[in-house]
Structures are given as C-alpha cells and as structure tokens.
Amino acid sequence: MKIYATADIHGAQHRVNEALSAIKTHNPDVIVIAGDITQFGPADAAISILNQFPTPIYMVPGNIDTADVWEGIKKTKAINLHKKHAQVNGLTFTGINGVDDAETELFFTDDTLRSYLEHVDVLITHVPP
C-alpha cells in the first residue's frame, strides 16, 4: 500500500498544490493529513482544502485547528480518526491528535495510550509521540 502523508498545511494553497502534484505523480492508495490544516480556522478554509484532495483521506486535526475546523471536517470526504480506528486495505489506522489539553480531553496518559494502540498498524498524530 502506498501512503501519501503530509501535515502543517496551515491554510497555504501553495502547500496544497505541492501535495496534489506529488499525489498525481505517485498515485497513493491513501492520503494521510496529520493536522494543522488551517491557520486557526475558519471551518470554510478546512473544507476548501480537504475537498481538493482525492479520497480516501484519513486525518487528525492539529493544535491550531480550531473547534469550528473540527466541525467543518465533518462536512468533507475526509475521515477524522482522532480516537478512532479504521480498517484500510487490511491495516488498522488510528489517530490521536496528541495535543495536551485536559479541557477537550485530547491527551492520553501513558497507560491509556498503550492500551489504545494495541494492534495498530498506522498511527496518525499531530504531535510526535
């Protein structure tokens, strides 16, 4: 399986264009976006960016993707894998945003993280583990 992975687009169309060019060249089976789609929103920017990519897209929001961006993602063809698993061509993909924010419960303790990641083949996270 070929995976094209990117992160930190920060709302920049030239970064989207570079990614789309690489996707056209390499023809991946899956696209992974590991956060910071926008530069602090808005949702419409995330929707516009994500809808330019061919499917399938598996992603997690980043630390500067605002709450409205999280909602906007639901209006796209992208699959937000934060705290979720997906079976893709026989592999288990999962996502953890990775941002330490107790208020929104985006961070896992080491014990919780270990149990959550059992049998995961591909981990998508914005913050390096």
PDB file of all heavy atoms in Angstrom, residues 92-122:
ATOM      1  N   THR A  92      -4.810  -1.533  10.255  1.00  0.00           N
ATOM      2  CA  THR A  92      -5.572  -0.723  11.191  1.00  0.00           C
ATOM      3  C   THR A  92      -4.919   0.644  11.318  1.00  0.00           C
ATOM      4  O   THR A  92      -3.777   0.755  11.754  1.00  0.00           O
ATOM      5  CB  THR A  92      -5.648  -1.400  12.572  1.00  0.00           C
ATOM      6  OG1 THR A  92      -6.262  -2.685  12.422  1.00  0.00           O
ATOM      7  CG2 THR A  92      -6.467  -0.562  13.543  1.00  0.00           C
ATOM      8  N   PHE A  93      -5.645   1.665  10.907  1.00  0.00           N
ATOM      9  CA  PHE A  93      -5.225   3.058  11.055  1.00  0.00           C
ATOM     10  C   PHE A  93      -5.917   3.613  12.295  1.00  0.00           C
ATOM     11  O   PHE A  93      -7.088   3.320  12.531  1.00  0.00           O
ATOM     12  CB  PHE A  93      -5.669   3.889   9.858  1.00  0.00           C
ATOM     13  CG  PHE A  93      -4.841   3.749   8.624  1.00  0.00           C
ATOM     14  CD1 PHE A  93      -4.641   2.513   8.023  1.00  0.00           C
ATOM     15  CD2 PHE A  93      -4.273   4.866   8.029  1.00  0.00           C
ATOM     16  CE1 PHE A  93      -3.889   2.398   6.865  1.00  0.00           C
ATOM     17  CE2 PHE A  93      -3.517   4.761   6.870  1.00  0.00           C
ATOM     18  CZ  PHE A  93      -3.319   3.521   6.291  1.00  0.00           C
ATOM     19  N   THR A  94      -5.217   4.426  13.047  1.00  0.00           N
ATOM     20  CA  THR A  94      -5.842   5.126  14.159  1.00  0.00           C
ATOM     21  C   THR A  94      -5.232   6.507  14.281  1.00  0.00           C
ATOM     22  O   THR A  94      -4.146   6.762  13.768  1.00  0.00           O
ATOM     23  CB  THR A  94      -5.707   4.346  15.483  1.00  0.00           C
ATOM     24  OG1 THR A  94      -6.616   4.893  16.437  1.00  0.00           O
ATOM     25  CG2 THR A  94      -4.307   4.393  16.032  1.00  0.00           C
ATOM     26  N   GLY A  95      -5.952   7.389  14.937  1.00  0.00           N
ATOM     27  CA  GLY A  95      -5.473   8.751  15.085  1.00  0.00           C
ATOM     28  C   GLY A  95      -5.564   9.231  16.514  1.00  0.00           C
ATOM     29  O   GLY A  95      -6.488   8.877  17.242  1.00  0.00           O
ATOM     30  N   ILE A  96      -4.576  10.004  16.887  1.00  0.00           N
ATOM     31  CA  ILE A  96      -4.571  10.690  18.175  1.00  0.00           C
ATOM     32  C   ILE A  96      -4.023  12.081  17.903  1.00  0.00           C
ATOM     33  O   ILE A  96      -2.876  12.224  17.482  1.00  0.00           O
ATOM     34  CB  ILE A  96      -3.696   9.968  19.214  1.00  0.00           C
ATOM     35  CG1 ILE A  96      -4.221   8.563  19.451  1.00  0.00           C
ATOM     36  CG2 ILE A  96      -3.652  10.768  20.511  1.00  0.00           C
ATOM     37  CD1 ILE A  96      -3.338   7.734  20.335  1.00  0.00           C
ATOM     38  N   ASN A  97      -4.839  13.078  18.129  1.00  0.00           N
ATOM     39  CA  ASN A  97      -4.414  14.460  17.898  1.00  0.00           C
ATOM     40  C   ASN A  97      -3.118  14.733  18.625  1.00  0.00           C
ATOM     41  O   ASN A  97      -2.199  15.299  18.062  1.00  0.00           O
ATOM     42  CB  ASN A  97      -5.551  15.380  18.340  1.00  0.00           C
ATOM     43  CG  ASN A  97      -5.158  16.815  18.457  1.00  0.00           C
ATOM     44  OD1 ASN A  97      -4.618  17.202  19.483  1.00  0.00           O
ATOM     45  ND2 ASN A  97      -5.442  17.596  17.436  1.00  0.00           N
ATOM     46  N   GLY A  98      -3.008  14.330  19.890  1.00  0.00           N
ATOM     47  CA  GLY A  98      -1.758  14.436  20.622  1.00  0.00           C
ATOM     48  C   GLY A  98      -1.531  15.730  21.349  1.00  0.00           C
ATOM     49  O   GLY A  98      -0.488  15.929  21.948  1.00  0.00           O
ATOM     50  N   VAL A  99      -2.505  16.617  21.324  1.00  0.00           N
ATOM     51  CA  VAL A  99      -2.350  17.909  21.979  1.00  0.00           C
ATOM     52  C   VAL A  99      -2.727  17.772  23.447  1.00  0.00           C
ATOM     53  O   VAL A  99      -3.778  17.252  23.781  1.00  0.00           O
ATOM     54  CB  VAL A  99      -3.219  18.975  21.286  1.00  0.00           C
ATOM     55  CG1 VAL A  99      -3.095  20.311  21.992  1.00  0.00           C
ATOM     56  CG2 VAL A  99      -2.820  19.094  19.823  1.00  0.00           C
ATOM     57  N   ASP A 100      -1.874  18.261  24.334  1.00  0.00           N
ATOM     58  CA  ASP A 100      -2.119  18.188  25.773  1.00  0.00           C
ATOM     59  C   ASP A 100      -3.098  19.281  26.170  1.00  0.00           C
ATOM     60  O   ASP A 100      -2.732  20.413  26.426  1.00  0.00           O
ATOM     61  CB  ASP A 100      -0.801  18.343  26.538  1.00  0.00           C
ATOM     62  CG  ASP A 100      -0.979  18.116  28.026  1.00  0.00           C
ATOM     63  OD1 ASP A 100      -2.106  17.824  28.460  1.00  0.00           O
ATOM     64  OD2 ASP A 100       0.015  18.245  28.754  1.00  0.00           O
ATOM     65  N   ASP A 101      -4.375  18.926  26.206  1.00  0.00           N
ATOM     66  CA  ASP A 101      -5.424  19.882  26.515  1.00  0.00           C
ATOM     67  C   ASP A 101      -6.495  19.161  27.326  1.00  0.00           C
ATOM     68  O   ASP A 101      -7.401  18.558  26.763  1.00  0.00           O
ATOM     69  CB  ASP A 101      -5.999  20.437  25.212  1.00  0.00           C
ATOM     70  CG  ASP A 101      -7.040  21.515  25.439  1.00  0.00           C
ATOM     71  OD1 ASP A 101      -7.532  21.670  26.574  1.00  0.00           O
ATOM     72  OD2 ASP A 101      -7.366  22.206  24.470  1.00  0.00           O
ATOM     73  N   ALA A 102      -6.376  19.216  28.638  1.00  0.00           N
ATOM     74  CA  ALA A 102      -7.278  18.473  29.522  1.00  0.00           C
ATOM     75  C   ALA A 102      -8.730  18.892  29.321  1.00  0.00           C
ATOM     76  O   ALA A 102      -9.640  18.083  29.445  1.00  0.00           O
ATOM     77  CB  ALA A 102      -6.866  18.671  30.977  1.00  0.00           C
ATOM     78  N   GLU A 103      -8.946  20.157  28.971  1.00  0.00           N
ATOM     79  CA  GLU A 103     -10.311  20.638  28.811  1.00  0.00           C
ATOM     80  C   GLU A 103     -11.050  19.912  27.686  1.00  0.00           C
ATOM     81  O   GLU A 103     -12.225  19.613  27.784  1.00  0.00           O
ATOM     82  CB  GLU A 103     -10.291  22.140  28.533  1.00  0.00           C
ATOM     83  CG  GLU A 103     -11.674  22.753  28.508  1.00  0.00           C
ATOM     84  CD  GLU A 103     -11.610  24.251  28.351  1.00  0.00           C
ATOM     85  OE1 GLU A 103     -10.927  24.895  29.158  1.00  0.00           O
ATOM     86  OE2 GLU A 103     -12.252  24.760  27.415  1.00  0.00           O
ATOM     87  N   THR A 104     -10.362  19.612  26.602  1.00  0.00           N
ATOM     88  CA  THR A 104     -11.007  18.922  25.489  1.00  0.00           C
ATOM     89  C   THR A 104     -10.629  17.441  25.432  1.00  0.00           C
ATOM     90  O   THR A 104     -10.984  16.753  24.498  1.00  0.00           O
ATOM     91  CB  THR A 104     -10.658  19.593  24.146  1.00  0.00           C
ATOM     92  OG1 THR A 104      -9.246  19.663  24.022  1.00  0.00           O
ATOM     93  CG2 THR A 104     -11.264  20.972  24.047  1.00  0.00           C
ATOM     94  N   GLU A 105      -9.902  16.974  26.416  1.00  0.00           N
ATOM     95  CA  GLU A 105      -9.544  15.557  26.544  1.00  0.00           C
ATOM     96  C   GLU A 105      -8.861  15.003  25.302  1.00  0.00           C
ATOM     97  O   GLU A 105      -9.191  13.933  24.821  1.00  0.00           O
ATOM     98  CB  GLU A 105     -10.776  14.726  26.887  1.00  0.00           C
ATOM     99  CG  GLU A 105     -11.422  15.115  28.190  1.00  0.00           C
ATOM    100  CD  GLU A 105     -12.616  14.247  28.509  1.00  0.00           C
ATOM    101  OE1 GLU A 105     -12.441  13.019  28.562  1.00  0.00           O
ATOM    102  OE2 GLU A 105     -13.703  14.801  28.685  1.00  0.00           O
ATOM    103  N   LEU A 106      -7.916  15.735  24.770  1.00  0.00           N
ATOM    104  CA  LEU A 106      -7.216  15.282  23.573  1.00  0.00           C
ATOM    105  C   LEU A 106      -5.940  14.518  23.894  1.00  0.00           C
ATOM    106  O   LEU A 106      -5.300  13.983  23.013  1.00  0.00           O
ATOM    107  CB  LEU A 106      -6.858  16.491  22.694  1.00  0.00           C
ATOM    108  CG  LEU A 106      -8.030  17.306  22.197  1.00  0.00           C
ATOM    109  CD1 LEU A 106      -7.518  18.483  21.388  1.00  0.00           C
ATOM    110  CD2 LEU A 106      -8.964  16.466  21.363  1.00  0.00           C
ATOM    111  N   PHE A 107      -5.564  14.481  25.133  1.00  0.00           N
ATOM    112  CA  PHE A 107      -4.297  13.873  25.517  1.00  0.00           C
ATOM    113  C   PHE A 107      -4.565  12.592  26.292  1.00  0.00           C
ATOM    114  O   PHE A 107      -5.508  12.500  27.048  1.00  0.00           O
ATOM    115  CB  PHE A 107      -3.509  14.863  26.384  1.00  0.00           C
ATOM    116  CG  PHE A 107      -2.081  14.444  26.604  1.00  0.00           C
ATOM    117  CD1 PHE A 107      -1.141  14.595  25.597  1.00  0.00           C
ATOM    118  CD2 PHE A 107      -1.683  13.905  27.804  1.00  0.00           C
ATOM    119  CE1 PHE A 107       0.173  14.216  25.799  1.00  0.00           C
ATOM    120  CE2 PHE A 107      -0.372  13.524  28.007  1.00  0.00           C
ATOM    121  CZ  PHE A 107       0.554  13.678  27.011  1.00  0.00           C
ATOM    122  N   PHE A 108      -3.738  11.592  26.087  1.00  0.00           N
ATOM    123  CA  PHE A 108      -3.874  10.325  26.772  1.00  0.00           C
ATOM    124  C   PHE A 108      -2.742  10.147  27.766  1.00  0.00           C
ATOM    125  O   PHE A 108      -1.613  10.529  27.485  1.00  0.00           O
ATOM    126  CB  PHE A 108      -3.780   9.167  25.763  1.00  0.00           C
ATOM    127  CG  PHE A 108      -4.949   9.049  24.845  1.00  0.00           C
ATOM    128  CD1 PHE A 108      -5.026   9.802  23.691  1.00  0.00           C
ATOM    129  CD2 PHE A 108      -5.967   8.162  25.133  1.00  0.00           C
ATOM    130  CE1 PHE A 108      -6.089   9.669  22.840  1.00  0.00           C
ATOM    131  CE2 PHE A 108      -7.037   8.025  24.277  1.00  0.00           C
ATOM    132  CZ  PHE A 108      -7.099   8.785  23.124  1.00  0.00           C
ATOM    133  N   THR A 109      -3.009   9.499  28.896  1.00  0.00           N
ATOM    134  CA  THR A 109      -1.925   9.107  29.788  1.00  0.00           C
ATOM    135  C   THR A 109      -1.174   7.963  29.135  1.00  0.00           C
ATOM    136  O   THR A 109      -1.679   7.317  28.216  1.00  0.00           O
ATOM    137  CB  THR A 109      -2.470   8.647  31.148  1.00  0.00           C
ATOM    138  OG1 THR A 109      -3.223   7.448  30.947  1.00  0.00           O
ATOM    139  CG2 THR A 109      -3.331   9.721  31.807  1.00  0.00           C
ATOM    140  N   ASP A 110       0.027   7.687  29.599  1.00  0.00           N
ATOM    141  CA  ASP A 110       0.820   6.604  29.013  1.00  0.00           C
ATOM    142  C   ASP A 110       0.089   5.275  29.053  1.00  0.00           C
ATOM    143  O   ASP A 110       0.088   4.532  28.076  1.00  0.00           O
ATOM    144  CB  ASP A 110       2.163   6.473  29.728  1.00  0.00           C
ATOM    145  CG  ASP A 110       3.114   7.610  29.368  1.00  0.00           C
ATOM    146  OD1 ASP A 110       2.841   8.314  28.371  1.00  0.00           O
ATOM    147  OD2 ASP A 110       4.103   7.788  30.073  1.00  0.00           O
ATOM    148  N   ASP A 111      -0.567   4.948  30.185  1.00  0.00           N
ATOM    149  CA  ASP A 111      -1.279   3.674  30.287  1.00  0.00           C
ATOM    150  C   ASP A 111      -2.458   3.612  29.323  1.00  0.00           C
ATOM    151  O   ASP A 111      -2.677   2.602  28.659  1.00  0.00           O
ATOM    152  CB  ASP A 111      -1.762   3.438  31.723  1.00  0.00           C
ATOM    153  CG  ASP A 111      -0.616   3.138  32.676  1.00  0.00           C
ATOM    154  OD1 ASP A 111       0.458   2.704  32.194  1.00  0.00           O
ATOM    155  OD2 ASP A 111      -0.788   3.343  33.885  1.00  0.00           O
ATOM    156  N   THR A 112      -3.213   4.695  29.234  1.00  0.00           N
ATOM    157  CA  THR A 112      -4.345   4.731  28.314  1.00  0.00           C
ATOM    158  C   THR A 112      -3.857   4.620  26.881  1.00  0.00           C
ATOM    159  O   THR A 112      -4.425   3.898  26.074  1.00  0.00           O
ATOM    160  CB  THR A 112      -5.137   6.043  28.488  1.00  0.00           C
ATOM    161  OG1 THR A 112      -5.535   6.171  29.838  1.00  0.00           O
ATOM    162  CG2 THR A 112      -6.348   6.077  27.597  1.00  0.00           C
ATOM    163  N   LEU A 113      -2.797   5.323  26.579  1.00  0.00           N
ATOM    164  CA  LEU A 113      -2.251   5.312  25.232  1.00  0.00           C
ATOM    165  C   LEU A 113      -1.803   3.916  24.824  1.00  0.00           C
ATOM    166  O   LEU A 113      -2.117   3.443  23.739  1.00  0.00           O
ATOM    167  CB  LEU A 113      -1.083   6.294  25.137  1.00  0.00           C
ATOM    168  CG  LEU A 113      -0.479   6.520  23.765  1.00  0.00           C
ATOM    169  CD1 LEU A 113      -1.516   7.065  22.798  1.00  0.00           C
ATOM    170  CD2 LEU A 113       0.692   7.466  23.862  1.00  0.00           C
ATOM    171  N   ARG A 114      -1.111   3.241  25.714  1.00  0.00           N
ATOM    172  CA  ARG A 114      -0.639   1.876  25.408  1.00  0.00           C
ATOM    173  C   ARG A 114      -1.800   0.949  25.081  1.00  0.00           C
ATOM    174  O   ARG A 114      -1.770   0.217  24.098  1.00  0.00           O
ATOM    175  CB  ARG A 114       0.172   1.321  26.577  1.00  0.00           C
ATOM    176  CG  ARG A 114       1.662   1.516  26.430  1.00  0.00           C
ATOM    177  CD  ARG A 114       2.423   0.697  27.467  1.00  0.00           C
ATOM    178  NE  ARG A 114       2.308   1.262  28.795  1.00  0.00           N
ATOM    179  CZ  ARG A 114       3.013   2.302  29.248  1.00  0.00           C
ATOM    180  NH1 ARG A 114       3.863   2.896  28.461  1.00  0.00           N
ATOM    181  NH2 ARG A 114       2.859   2.739  30.466  1.00  0.00           N
ATOM    182  N   SER A 115      -2.854   0.982  25.891  1.00  0.00           N
ATOM    183  CA  SER A 115      -3.984   0.090  25.644  1.00  0.00           C
ATOM    184  C   SER A 115      -4.729   0.481  24.368  1.00  0.00           C
ATOM    185  O   SER A 115      -5.225  -0.378  23.646  1.00  0.00           O
ATOM    186  CB  SER A 115      -4.940   0.079  26.835  1.00  0.00           C
ATOM    187  OG  SER A 115      -5.548   1.338  26.995  1.00  0.00           O
ATOM    188  N   TYR A 116      -4.787   1.763  24.081  1.00  0.00           N
ATOM    189  CA  TYR A 116      -5.485   2.235  22.894  1.00  0.00           C
ATOM    190  C   TYR A 116      -4.773   1.828  21.612  1.00  0.00           C
ATOM    191  O   TYR A 116      -5.403   1.587  20.592  1.00  0.00           O
ATOM    192  CB  TYR A 116      -5.598   3.762  22.968  1.00  0.00           C
ATOM    193  CG  TYR A 116      -6.373   4.370  21.837  1.00  0.00           C
ATOM    194  CD1 TYR A 116      -7.764   4.313  21.808  1.00  0.00           C
ATOM    195  CD2 TYR A 116      -5.730   4.998  20.785  1.00  0.00           C
ATOM    196  CE1 TYR A 116      -8.483   4.865  20.775  1.00  0.00           C
ATOM    197  CE2 TYR A 116      -6.437   5.556  19.745  1.00  0.00           C
ATOM    198  CZ  TYR A 116      -7.816   5.491  19.741  1.00  0.00           C
ATOM    199  OH  TYR A 116      -8.514   6.031  18.710  1.00  0.00           O
ATOM    200  N   LEU A 117      -3.456   1.727  21.678  1.00  0.00           N
ATOM    201  CA  LEU A 117      -2.664   1.490  20.476  1.00  0.00           C
ATOM    202  C   LEU A 117      -2.360   0.022  20.195  1.00  0.00           C
ATOM    203  O   LEU A 117      -1.628  -0.277  19.255  1.00  0.00           O
ATOM    204  CB  LEU A 117      -1.359   2.281  20.546  1.00  0.00           C
ATOM    205  CG  LEU A 117      -1.527   3.793  20.524  1.00  0.00           C
ATOM    206  CD1 LEU A 117      -0.181   4.483  20.654  1.00  0.00           C
ATOM    207  CD2 LEU A 117      -2.246   4.253  19.269  1.00  0.00           C
ATOM    208  N   GLU A 118      -2.912  -0.875  20.971  1.00  0.00           N
ATOM    209  CA  GLU A 118      -2.686  -2.298  20.691  1.00  0.00           C
ATOM    210  C   GLU A 118      -3.222  -2.630  19.306  1.00  0.00           C
ATOM    211  O   GLU A 118      -4.309  -2.220  18.926  1.00  0.00           O
ATOM    212  CB  GLU A 118      -3.385  -3.159  21.742  1.00  0.00           C
ATOM    213  CG  GLU A 118      -2.718  -3.099  23.098  1.00  0.00           C
ATOM    214  CD  GLU A 118      -3.424  -3.973  24.121  1.00  0.00           C
ATOM    215  OE1 GLU A 118      -4.134  -4.909  23.720  1.00  0.00           O
ATOM    216  OE2 GLU A 118      -3.265  -3.690  25.310  1.00  0.00           O
ATOM    217  N   HIS A 119      -2.452  -3.351  18.566  1.00  0.00           N
ATOM    218  CA  HIS A 119      -2.847  -3.841  17.232  1.00  0.00           C
ATOM    219  C   HIS A 119      -3.078  -2.730  16.214  1.00  0.00           C
ATOM    220  O   HIS A 119      -3.880  -2.880  15.299  1.00  0.00           O
ATOM    221  CB  HIS A 119      -4.073  -4.745  17.327  1.00  0.00           C
ATOM    222  CG  HIS A 119      -3.948  -5.814  18.349  1.00  0.00           C
ATOM    223  ND1 HIS A 119      -3.036  -6.840  18.241  1.00  0.00           N
ATOM    224  CD2 HIS A 119      -4.579  -5.995  19.532  1.00  0.00           C
ATOM    225  CE1 HIS A 119      -3.140  -7.617  19.313  1.00  0.00           C
ATOM    226  NE2 HIS A 119      -4.059  -7.128  20.105  1.00  0.00           N
ATOM    227  N   VAL A 120      -2.395  -1.604  16.365  1.00  0.00           N
ATOM    228  CA  VAL A 120      -2.479  -0.519  15.390  1.00  0.00           C
ATOM    229  C   VAL A 120      -1.295  -0.629  14.443  1.00  0.00           C
ATOM    230  O   VAL A 120      -0.166  -0.802  14.866  1.00  0.00           O
ATOM    231  CB  VAL A 120      -2.484   0.860  16.100  1.00  0.00           C
ATOM    232  CG1 VAL A 120      -2.323   1.988  15.093  1.00  0.00           C
ATOM    233  CG2 VAL A 120      -3.767   1.023  16.890  1.00  0.00           C
ATOM    234  N   ASP A 121      -1.581  -0.550  13.145  1.00  0.00           N
ATOM    235  CA  ASP A 121      -0.517  -0.611  12.147  1.00  0.00           C
ATOM    236  C   ASP A 121      -0.016   0.773  11.742  1.00  0.00           C
ATOM    237  O   ASP A 121       1.167   0.967  11.515  1.00  0.00           O
ATOM    238  CB  ASP A 121      -1.017  -1.349  10.904  1.00  0.00           C
ATOM    239  CG  ASP A 121      -1.424  -2.773  11.210  1.00  0.00           C
ATOM    240  OD1 ASP A 121      -0.579  -3.534  11.719  1.00  0.00           O
ATOM    241  OD2 ASP A 121      -2.609  -3.112  10.957  1.00  0.00           O
ATOM    242  N   VAL A 122      -0.934   1.743  11.612  1.00  0.00           N
ATOM    243  CA  VAL A 122      -0.573   3.089  11.178  1.00  0.00           C
ATOM    244  C   VAL A 122      -1.161   4.084  12.170  1.00  0.00           C
ATOM    245  O   VAL A 122      -2.376   4.124  12.366  1.00  0.00           O
ATOM    246  CB  VAL A 122      -1.102   3.389   9.762  1.00  0.00           C
ATOM    247  CG1 VAL A 122      -0.763   4.819   9.349  1.00  0.00           C
ATOM    248  CG2 VAL A 122      -0.562   2.388   8.753  1.00  0.00           C
TER     249      VAL A 122
END
